[in-house]
Amino acid sequence: MAQTRKIFKRILAGLGLVIVVLLVIYGDLVLYGLRQGYGQLNIIWNARPVEEFMQDPNFPDSLKARLRLIDEVRRYAVDSLGLKDTENYKTLYDQKGKEVMWVVLASEAFKLAPKEWKFPILGSVPYKGFFNEKRAFALKRALEEEGYDVIVRNPGGWSTLGWFTDPILSKMLSRSEGDLANLIIHEMSHATIFVKDSIDFNENLATFIGDRGAEQFLIHKYGVTSPQYTEYIDEDRDYLQYVDHMLRGAAMLDSVYSALDPQAPKAAKLRIKEAAIRRIITNLDTLSLRLNKNPAQRFKDKLPNNAYFMNFRQYQSKQTDFMREWKEDFGGNLRAYIAHLSEVYPFL
């Protein structure tokens, strides 16, 4: 018995030593994970079932209509597109008009190359999310001091890949029908197909499925001559022109950066970089957009940086490839294409 107790103590001591070593080596990652888990659980805990809002006489009818729409989108995504059915989007979290998540993206200053963080299961990820604004901007400042180009954005939604039950966020309800359908289908795609160490692929694929799925849902619900579908197509047409311009700009920046003299003073390289980005932004106003005649105006006070251009690649650079495969190999059958991709790319 004494010998067994001694062995047990040695095992516990060994485990304790392993835990200490892991905390020393991966302390920041462990702390980050705990904070993320707390932030996510806080939102889940304070989310309320959609039924409560639907039965609340003081909850606006216009928002109840959006909640019904989300349920229709969810059912369509499962029944008609073959996306995974989960408990997501059956609760609502009231943001009280505030943002709840901040995502930090960083790129090298003279190369469109992302700063990456490694996480268990997910692998390498070219962004880092926070449920705390101060921590997000503290990381932004730290990365900028290291010489990175950095942006912080607020995502309209996110997927926990089935590890938690993702709620509807109240700010989602202000979106148009098409934009809302796109967001829900995009995030549901992540819970269906997600490849480790392939964030560009994952985000591009979810963008493609979200775009095509929203189109098909709007046709199914409203018809091709409906104002809902027309509004979505007009917005999408403008956005795709904008995206194409930014992707061309990113390609131009690749050429500019590769031609830089590594021995040149930093100030000189910054002037060349600024002039190139300014050309890209100025030429935005040559686009024939229907809904925004002066898109360059949004950058009148501050030019975008490498992280901004890199973000377009992460979400949009593979759209032509997906479109070609979907049309040529699957005849435009989105459900069949998703089923094929699910087989080729098992979830994590």
Side-chain angles (χ1 to χ4, degrees):
M1 185 69 176
Q3 184 66 22
T4 302
R5 189 178 295 111
K6 186 181 293 185
I7 292 172
F8 183 65
K9 286 183 178 179
R10 286 177 179 173
I11 292 172
L12 286 178
L15 286 173
L17 181 60
V18 169
I19 291 171
V20 169
V21 170
L22 289 174
L23 285 173
V24 170
I25 299 175
Y26 302 108
D28 289 345
L29 181 60
V30 172
L31 185 59
Y32 172 77
L34 290 173
R35 285 172 173 162
Q36 287 300 94
Y38 173 79
Q40 186 70 51
L41 288 172
N42 180 59
I43 290 174
I44 292 170
W45 181 262
N46 288 289
R48 292 163 49 199
V50 166
E51 290 79 5
E52 289 188 20
F53 293 93
M54 297 301 289
Q55 295 169 8
D56 183 352
N58 295 317
F59 194 68
D61 289 342
S62 59
L63 299 185
K64 288 179 180 178
R66 283 292 188 269
L67 293 178
R68 283 191 292 270
L69 179 69
I70 289 174
D71 187 58
E72 289 183 63
V73 172
R74 240 182 45 78
R75 291 308 336 155
Y76 182 85
V78 173
D79 297 339
S80 298
L81 303 181
L83 295 181
K84 184 178 179 182
D85 194 5
T86 67
E87 292 301 306
N88 292 344
Y89 308 121
K90 295 182 179 180
T91 59
L92 172 63
Y93 176 75
D94 185 0
Q95 298 174 253
K96 303 186 186 303
K98 301 176 181 178
E99 299 293 348
V100 294
M101 192 175 193
W102 294 261
V103 175
V104 180
L105 304 95
S107 170
E108 293 184 24
F110 300 106
K111 185 179 181 181
L112 296 184
K115 162 74 175 176
E116 293 187 332
W117 291 267
K118 290 188 179 295
F119 297 101
I121 302 176
L122 295 179
S124 296
V125 178
Y127 47 70
K128 200 170 186 181
F130 293 86
F131 291 100
N132 182 289
E133 182 179 12
K134 289 183 179 178
R135 290 195 177 96
F137 280 90
L139 176 60
K140 178 179 183 291
R141 288 190 296 272
L143 290 170
E144 287 173 338
E145 289 174 3
E146 293 178 31
Y148 286 98
D149 281 7
V150 190
I151 60 172
V152 179
R153 64 182 184 85
N154 301 109
W158 60 88
S159 172
T160 58
L161 308 181
W163 298 331
F164 299 100
T165 53
D166 303 336
I168 299 164
L169 302 175
S170 55
K171 274 194 152 185
M172 292 180 181
L173 304 182
S174 63
R175 292 172 176 253
S176 66
E177 287 92 335
D179 196 23
L180 182 55
N182 190 317
L183 175 62
I184 296 298
I185 294 172
H186 178 112
E187 300 304 342
M188 289 180 69
S189 300
H190 282 318
T192 304
I193 305 168
F194 200 90
V195 184
K196 183 177 180 179
D197 286 322
S198 300
I199 294 299
D200 281 12
F201 174 86
N202 294 326
E203 294 297 356
N204 268 270
L205 178 59
T207 296
F208 179 80
I209 295 174
D211 289 348
R212 305 288 78 76
E215 285 179 10
Q216 294 188 9
F217 171 78
L218 292 172
I219 293 171
H220 165 79
K221 181 172 174 61
Y222 300 109
V224 291
T225 60
S226 66
Q228 292 88 347
Y229 180 71
T230 301
E231 177 186 21
Y232 179 76
I233 292 301
D234 285 345
E235 290 175 351
D236 193 48
R237 186 181 294 112
D238 274 9
Y239 183 63
L240 288 178
Q241 283 195 63
Y242 185 90
V243 166
D244 287 344
H245 182 82
M246 289 302 176
L247 290 176
R248 289 192 298 271
M252 187 192 85
L253 289 175
D254 282 339
S255 299
V256 169
Y257 296 147
S258 64
L260 288 176
D261 179 1
Q263 305 305 318
K266 183 178 179 180
K269 291 191 287 188
L270 284 173
R271 283 194 295 271
I272 294 171
K273 172 183 177 178
E274 180 180 344
I277 292 176
R278 191 172 298 282
R279 281 200 305 275
I280 296 168
I281 297 307
T282 300
N283 287 336
L284 270 174
D285 287 342
T286 66
L287 300 178
S288 300
L289 305 183
R290 297 189 180 193
L291 305 178
N292 186 354
K293 300 302 181 184
N294 303 107
Q297 184 67 14
R298 64 178 294 193
F299 299 107
K300 64 182 180 64
D301 296 323
K302 185 177 181 181
L303 291 174
N305 59 28
N306 285 356
Y308 181 82
F309 289 96
M310 191 181 63
N311 192 43
F312 280 93
R313 284 187 170 171
Q314 290 173 355
Y315 284 84
Q316 298 287 346
S317 62
K318 303 181 190 304
Q319 297 306 300
T320 301
D321 297 335
F322 287 130
M323 180 71 78
R324 184 185 305 111
E325 187 175 43
W326 172 57
K327 287 185 174 179
E328 293 180 0
D329 297 347
F330 296 89
N333 185 325
L334 188 56
R335 183 187 181 94
Y337 188 35
I338 291 171
H340 164 75
L341 292 168
S342 298
E343 290 182 9
V344 174
Y345 304 102
F347 186 80
L348 284 177

